[in-house]
Amino acid sequence: MDVLAFDQPDLGQRLAALTDEQLDEASFGVIGFDDATVVRRYNRFESQAAGLSPHSVVGQPFFTSVAPCMNNFMVAQRFEDAQDDGVPLDETMPYVLTLRMRPTKVRLRLLALPGAATRYVLVQRQP
């Protein structure tokens, strides 16, 4: 497999084609959720960085149970707006994670394609 890069332009299309084992090889967090915002994909990197097992995350509502700190206009609302408007979403932003951890600076990349079964939040920890 080619190495996945956080800033890769076609990453939204590539993620859908990857197996869970291939997602585990990424050097950044990958969280995929469905139209009901239920987590369907959660890679090893994010599991280890967040200290949450895939078993405790997959199948849970992302914005209310797993990451309520992202349930705001900067993250959740952007997914909702893109879905309502039927447009792609590909935005990268600096963010600070605060839930169950000391404040942690990250870059988030929000990916959604119209008609795709899974939308993604990518998490790149900052040094």
Side-chain angles (χ1 to χ4, degrees):
M1 179 182 88
D2 296 339
V3 175
L4 291 176
F6 184 85
D7 294 321
Q8 190 171 331
D10 64 344
L11 197 51
Q13 292 89 354
R14 287 201 62 206
L15 290 173
L18 298 177
T19 66
D20 290 342
E21 291 75 21
Q22 290 170 319
L23 283 184
D24 283 342
E25 296 176 18
S27 61
F28 51 86
V30 179
I31 306 159
F33 54 92
D34 64 18
D35 284 349
T37 74
V38 173
V39 176
R40 299 298 177 199
R41 307 188 82 186
Y42 188 70
N43 78 337
R44 181 182 316 133
F45 186 95
E46 186 59 24
S47 174
Q48 292 173 346
L52 300 171
S53 72
H55 178 73
S56 68
V57 172
V58 174
Q60 299 299 312
F62 182 61
F63 291 114
T64 56
S65 294
V66 176
C69 65
M70 293 187 202
N71 193 8
N72 55 47
F73 72 97
M74 293 183 291
V75 182
Q77 188 65 50
R78 285 185 170 153
F79 281 105
E80 198 169 305
D81 290 347
Q83 186 173 25
D84 289 349
D85 296 341
V87 297
L89 173 66
D90 186 352
E91 292 190 29
T92 301
M93 71 180 81
Y95 202 77
V96 178
L97 299 177
T98 57
L99 186 67
R100 293 178 233 138
M101 63 180 70
R102 66 184 171 92
T104 303
K105 292 181 181 181
V106 299
R107 282 193 327 148
L108 295 181
R109 186 170 176 190
L110 315 179
L111 293 172
L113 296 171
T118 306
R119 298 176 282 172
Y120 291 93
V121 172
L122 310 181
V123 183
Q124 185 177 53
R125 267 71 181 170
Q126 300 298 294

